[in-house]
Amino acid sequence: MEQRTTPPPTVIDSGKKYTATVHTTRGDFVISFVDSKIAPQTVNNFVYLSQNHFYDGLTFHRVVAGFVVQGGDPLGNGTGGPAYKLPNENNASKWPRGTAGMASSAAGVSGSQFFITIGDAPFLETSGVYNHFGQVTSGME
């Protein structure tokens, strides 16, 4: 997966609604994805990586109290992921607690690293390009 230079092929059906259950040592949580027409490549990417067990066994390598937990890095230090970047699919979101977004850097939107806001983060709406792709619907505690 780390060798892919382009985002993955389409595996989702744009007419269906998708969720993911994330299993952690602190309990499970469920992400309900936004309508795939809003962030089609981001939702497809997360589903594809999940179906191919990319996220299995990875840790949340970044925890910022009151702000976010971030995971999806196979190296576990914030620098890993596939060789591709996702396109900008920034969309309207107020970034409330429990929002799922893709991490980004000066190089572009991450291919695998994602974060969950653990507090309201409305400043993310204007502070960069973060593809909002879902909302935690259970397990935030």
Side-chain angles (χ1 to χ4, degrees):
M1 219 52 77
E2 288 89 350
Q3 303 308 312
R4 279 194 78 85
T5 58
T6 59
T10 301
V11 296
I12 61 172
D13 177 341
S14 63
K16 293 184 178 179
K17 190 79 172 137
Y18 290 86
T19 63
T21 301
V22 179
H23 305 286
T24 76
T25 57
R26 294 189 177 204
D28 298 347
F29 64 92
V30 176
I31 301 170
S32 291
F33 298 121
V34 298
D35 182 321
S36 60
K37 293 176 188 92
I38 294 172
Q41 288 195 54
T42 305
V43 171
N44 182 73
N45 183 68
F46 195 93
V47 170
Y48 178 88
L49 292 176
S50 297
Q51 288 176 340
N52 286 279
H53 306 282
F54 180 86
Y55 292 121
D56 292 4
L58 300 185
T59 63
F60 284 91
H61 62 275
R62 179 177 179 226
V63 178
V64 180
F67 177 40
V68 297
V69 295
Q70 184 171 322
D73 176 5
L75 299 178
N77 63 12
T79 65
Y84 63 86
K85 298 293 181 191
L86 293 173
N88 176 358
E89 292 182 322
N90 196 9
N91 54 68
S93 174
K94 298 296 180 195
W95 296 91
R97 180 177 186 263
T99 300
M102 291 303 286
S104 68
S105 68
V109 177
S110 175
S112 66
Q113 292 188 45
F114 68 98
F115 60 88
I116 306 296
T117 58
I118 54 177
D120 293 344
F123 56 88
L124 290 177
E125 190 174 5
T126 58
S127 66
V129 176
Y130 305 100
N131 295 350
H132 163 232
F133 69 95
Q135 185 69 37
V136 174
T137 53
S138 69
M140 272 302 289
E141 64 284 343

